[in-house]
Amino acid sequence: MCGIVGYVGNQKVSNLLINGLKRMEYRGYDSAGISVLQDGKIQTIKKSGKVSQLEKLVDHTLYDSTIGIAHTRWATHGEPNDINAHPHHSSDDKISIVHNGIIENYAAIKKNLQEKGYTFRSETDSEVLAVMIQAIYEKVQCLEEAVRFALNEVDGTFGLLVLSSHEPDRIIAARRGSPMVLGIGDGEYIVASDASAIIQHTRQVVYLNDNEMAIIKRDGFETKTIMNEATTTHIQEIEFDLEHIEKAGYEHFMLKEIFEQPETFRDAFRGRLLADKGNVKLGGLTQVQEKLRQAKRIIITACGTSWHSALVGEYIIENLAQIPVEVEYASEFRYRNTPLYPDDIVIAISQSGETADTLAAVYETKQKGATPIGIVNVVGSSIARETEAGIYIHAGPEIGVASTKAFTSQISVLTILALYLGRMRNLSQSDGKRIAAEILEIPDKIRRILNRSDEIKALAKKQAKSRNYLYLGRGYNFPVALEGALKMKEISYIHAEGYPAAEMKHGPIALIDENMPVVIVATKDEIYEKVISNIQEVRARKGKVIAIATEGDENIKDYANHVIYIPSTLPMLTPVLAVIPLQLIAYYTAVELGCNVDQPRNLAKSVTVE
Ligand code: F6R
């Protein structure tokens, strides 16, 4: 949420910063701006709209500066116009900041500064940081101290970069609750909220910790806490390659990521699934192995798509390991007084590893003495670091704002976790082997569905004028119905509801008429006949049924208007297959309607505010 990038080095900075913003545009695209230090002064250009709008205004020939900061915004306080765009200046224009996060006590700080005669230009919470740093600088005459004192005054979260004509050789970076990565190049440093803005320049990075700041100059950098205590840095290597953050010939990142799923699903269990033993090895859980063996209850907490994978995980873990599992929206978990006990395991699932609510749920877990475990994609992210143990899903960068491959990779990890927990308890080796053998087949089965994407595209085109969709599923496929509806809503702006198929008759059935497409996951399992009854109920009200069915099921053609076949698998693994056509229906519908698939309105990847 909001992308920020800064550079100090020997290259001309304006083009470099714009390219950095383009890499992070999926984090927010309401407005964009840059500040560079040119001839001893801060020069800022900012514009509402996408980075391409900003780019048109930046004449790179005007600048030979080699130091600057930039921002692409996802608006929280203040509408997305030119004035509210970042960077924000101090009232004397000598300090420029870019900020990701929320300053909760900004109103009180602003009032106080206004009473002292300082002026403000925007409606944002962020601007108070620039003006506050100015006010403190006037007293202490040291930028680092001024930033530090200011950060000790604010409540809330920040990923912050500060540039000042007072001390033109440095950028000061700081973080609390918002990611910040410092890339270490040869005589140059690039600091950003996202490693994807850095990888073009260097693979060597330092992830700043919460409440840590970095003073970055051409000839070196120093880190310390915002309480001025020295900190040690660990240089790490970025794990992914540049090609992972490029479209590789696909029209959109979302489509590329949908098509990556045979590989990403496999990457999540590769080296962990011991198929011949019917068991699983999870190095990231070694230190909590005994706690997992003793656990009486697991709580899984997450948001959005990750919450849907959590629901699938609940069913699989309860089935294989017979441990009671509860799934909680992270935003609810943190604010209600959830009873937690020391032998509870709390699994936080997050693609970005930065979702504010999920991170807060991890803190709450620690506070109450239970054990937090992460299932995370982004290596080195806050949730990965704050949890006691964890399992990376290794899906590679997910750039499309609508999550796709992360969902199936999360299920891949949850399935092997369930197997791991089951084998610690009563699950037999032969059952373990049977499930493991089927997991190995899934990548190929996903590929077979993707090969039929043209058929799904034609269907999506035909249905694109529908203004509402209903998605139904039962058992393991109820969360798939929720996920299918979410995908449709977020990228095509068509209203869609996901429901447990049997619950439909308790209300949503009233919505069904000849204009309502109803997507029903009706794969062959023990509740197949019940789902067929639900289909009949829809047909009786003239609803148009699109069934996701198991290959070879000819019977379903008698009930559905359209059938999309997926290969047969174990019921617990059907969500991974059933979701693929639903991702494709949403994608092709959005394309047909001319929607911006990778950057849907009002959304941003990585929601680092509450
Ligand atoms: C939906 C989507 C969001 C995220 C949610 C959680 O396509 O992308 O609903 O799933 O914001 O994000 P993470 O998994 O990064 O915590």
Side-chain angles (χ1 to χ4, degrees):
M1 181 153 283
C2 299
I4 63 182
V5 56
Y7 177 84
V8 192
N10 39 36
Q11 299 187 51
K12 285 195 186 175
V13 77
S14 56
N15 200 16
L16 192 148
L17 291 177
I18 297 274
N19 285 337
L21 290 184
K22 285 185 183 162
R23 296 267 183 223
M24 291 185 297
E25 209 172 4
Y26 65 101
R27 299 181 70 97
Y29 31 84
D30 289 333
S31 63
I34 66 168
S35 284
V36 302
L37 264 172
Q38 179 79 19
D39 306 325
K41 284 202 182 113
I42 292 175
Q43 305 282 351
T44 293
I45 304 176
K46 51 190 195 170
K47 183 77 194 137
S48 62
K50 300 201 187 318
V51 176
S52 55
Q53 300 294 112
L54 172 73
E55 193 176 21
K56 286 186 201 143
L57 301 178
V58 178
D59 179 353
H60 299 297
T61 59
L62 285 179
Y63 303 116
D64 51 20
S65 169
T66 53
I67 182 167
I69 58 177
H71 187 273
T72 177
R73 178 171 186 238
W74 185 83
T76 56
H77 293 59
E79 67 174 274
N81 57 26
D82 294 355
I83 294 173
N84 290 333
H86 295 224
H88 289 289
H89 283 196
S90 53
S91 13
D92 62 1
D93 288 323
K94 293 198 167 144
I95 293 163
S96 176
I97 62 121
V98 289
H99 169 229
N100 174 23
I102 290 185
I103 304 303
E104 286 164 2
N105 55 342
Y106 84 99
I109 297 172
K110 188 169 178 173
K111 186 160 172 277
N112 185 276
L113 288 165
Q114 279 168 327
E115 280 164 9
K116 292 185 176 142
Y118 292 96
T119 53
F120 288 80
R121 294 165 245 214
S122 79
E123 302 158 292
T124 65
D125 55 325
S126 306
E127 190 183 8
V128 299
L129 277 171
V131 181
M132 189 163 42
I133 294 168
Q134 170 191 356
I136 301 171
Y137 183 87
E138 284 163 2
K139 293 198 187 103
V140 300
Q141 297 293 306
C142 166
L143 188 64
E144 181 194 322
E145 251 178 76
V147 173
R148 204 171 46 238
F149 289 163
L151 294 182
N152 279 295
E153 291 295 310
V154 297
D155 296 332
T157 54
F158 49 81
L160 176 74
L161 297 181
V162 183
L163 181 71
S164 172
S165 55
H166 292 301
E167 296 181 19
D169 61 336
R170 67 194 62 195
I171 289 176
I172 297 185
R175 71 157 277 178
R176 180 195 291 156
S178 268
M180 187 67 74
V181 194
L182 173 62
I184 302 162
D186 190 7
E188 59 181 3
Y189 294 94
I190 181 153
V191 57
S193 47
D194 196 313
S196 58
I198 295 177
I199 185 153
Q200 215 169 343
H201 303 273
T202 176
R203 301 185 76 84
Q204 308 292 309
V205 292
V206 170
Y207 294 96
L208 292 195
N209 291 313
D210 259 355
N211 294 312
E212 195 173 25
M213 57 195 280
I215 299 95
I216 310 158
K217 301 196 233 168
R218 278 182 189 81
D219 57 357
F221 72 96
E222 192 187 353
T223 57
K224 44 181 75 170
T225 68
I226 62 168
M227 304 305 289
N228 205 17
E229 299 138 340
T231 54
T232 46
T233 52
H234 303 286
I235 298 179
Q236 298 183 39
E237 184 128 329
I238 297 177
E239 283 203 337
F240 58 85
D241 295 314
L242 200 53
E243 71 201 42
H244 287 122
I245 53 170
E246 297 191 326
K247 284 193 205 151
Y250 285 92
E251 202 181 333
H252 296 102
F253 280 111
M254 182 178 174
L255 189 63
K256 175 184 174 231
E257 288 157 8
I258 290 174
F259 273 80
E260 279 173 1
Q261 290 176 105
E263 289 77 35
T264 50
F265 182 86
R266 189 193 304 281
D267 289 344
F269 69 73
R270 193 200 298 274
R272 294 166 167 169
L273 184 65
L274 311 173
D276 53 339
K277 298 193 172 74
N279 212 336
V280 171
K281 185 181 78 191
L282 291 168
L285 298 187
T286 313
Q287 71 203 74
V288 293
Q289 199 169 347
E290 276 319 302
K291 287 185 179 171
L292 287 170
R293 200 185 299 281
Q294 305 303 329
K296 303 269 179 313
R297 179 171 80 139
I298 292 175
I299 296 164
I300 314 182
T301 187
C303 302
T305 289
S306 298
W307 184 78
H308 296 158
S309 76
L311 292 175
V312 177
E314 173 187 14
Y315 287 22
I316 304 178
I317 294 172
E318 288 194 342
N319 181 346
L320 298 188
Q322 293 292 300
I323 308 173
V325 179
E326 287 167 30
V327 176
E328 284 252 19
Y329 280 118
S331 52
E332 294 296 315
F333 180 90
R334 62 184 297 196
Y335 284 118
R336 72 188 194 83
N337 191 15
T338 317
L340 275 185
Y341 304 100
D343 54 1
D344 282 338
I345 303 287
V346 177
I347 300 177
I349 305 182
S350 174
Q351 186 286 127
S352 61
E354 301 292 348
T355 300
D357 287 320
T358 314
L359 184 57
V362 170
Y363 290 137
E364 184 65 11
T365 302
K366 288 169 103 164
Q367 169 70 25
K368 290 186 171 163
T371 303
I373 292 177
I375 294 183
V376 169
N377 190 28
V378 178
V379 174
S381 56
S382 301
I383 294 172
R385 287 174 328 145
E386 291 297 333
T387 40
E388 203 171 313
I391 316 170
Y392 281 119
I393 64 170
H394 294 311
E398 191 179 61
I399 311 272
V401 166
S403 184
T404 52
K405 62 176 180 175
F407 178 72
T408 46
S409 295
Q410 286 162 353
I411 297 177
S412 183
V413 161
L414 285 160
T415 310
I416 57 171
L417 174 64
L419 197 51
Y420 172 85
L421 296 170
R423 294 289 288 117
M424 281 180 167
R425 293 171 168 76
N426 291 328
L427 192 74
S428 69
Q429 189 184 45
S430 63
D431 279 344
K433 280 186 179 174
R434 184 175 54 83
I435 294 160
E438 192 50 38
I439 294 173
L440 292 177
E441 299 289 317
I442 294 293
D444 199 48
K445 292 183 176 177
I446 297 176
R447 207 167 283 119
R448 276 160 55 191
I449 304 170
L450 293 171
N451 287 343
R452 292 206 285 268
S453 63
D454 280 349
E455 175 200 328
I456 298 168
K457 183 178 183 174
L459 172 70
K461 255 181 135 144
K462 206 166 116 200
Q463 299 291 342
K465 295 275 176 299
S466 309
R467 292 320 304 149
N468 297 288
Y469 260 88
L470 191 58
Y471 287 76
L472 303 175
R474 293 184 77 148
Y476 291 108
N477 289 311
F478 158 52
V480 175
L482 296 179
E483 177 61 6
L486 178 62
K487 290 289 91 87
M488 184 60 92
K489 282 187 268 222
E490 60 185 342
I491 59 167
S492 70
Y493 319 136
I494 292 175
H495 173 248
E497 280 207 49
Y499 239 78
E503 277 290 305
M504 175 190 64
K505 54 188 170 298
H506 299 287
I509 199 164
L511 296 169
I512 294 173
D513 62 16
E514 64 279 13
N515 298 316
M516 173 72 98
V518 183
V519 180
I520 307 188
V521 184
T523 44
K524 279 272 185 180
D525 53 26
E526 66 268 27
I527 46 176
Y528 172 77
E529 296 301 337
K530 308 251 181 253
V531 177
I532 293 292
S533 305
N534 300 140
I535 293 180
Q536 304 268 40
E537 291 154 13
V538 174
R539 286 300 295 273
R541 275 103 195 151
K542 300 195 170 57
K544 278 186 250 165
V545 174
I546 299 166
I548 311 298
T550 308
E551 278 171 0
D553 177 7
E554 293 298 318
N555 167 55
I556 196 141
K557 288 185 177 158
D558 295 341
Y559 306 102
N561 300 73
H562 193 101
V563 182
I564 300 171
Y565 284 112
I566 61 172
S568 158
T569 186
L570 295 176
M572 73 179 68
L573 292 169
T574 49
V576 175
L577 302 182
V579 79
I580 308 284
L582 306 195
Q583 293 170 343
L584 287 168
I585 292 175
Y587 171 78
Y588 287 121
T589 304
V591 170
E592 179 66 17
L593 295 174
C595 301
N596 187 337
V597 173
D598 282 334
Q599 294 171 350
R601 71 183 180 211
N602 305 339
L603 297 178
K605 198 83 182 158
S606 181
V607 183
T608 54
V609 296
E610 286 180 39

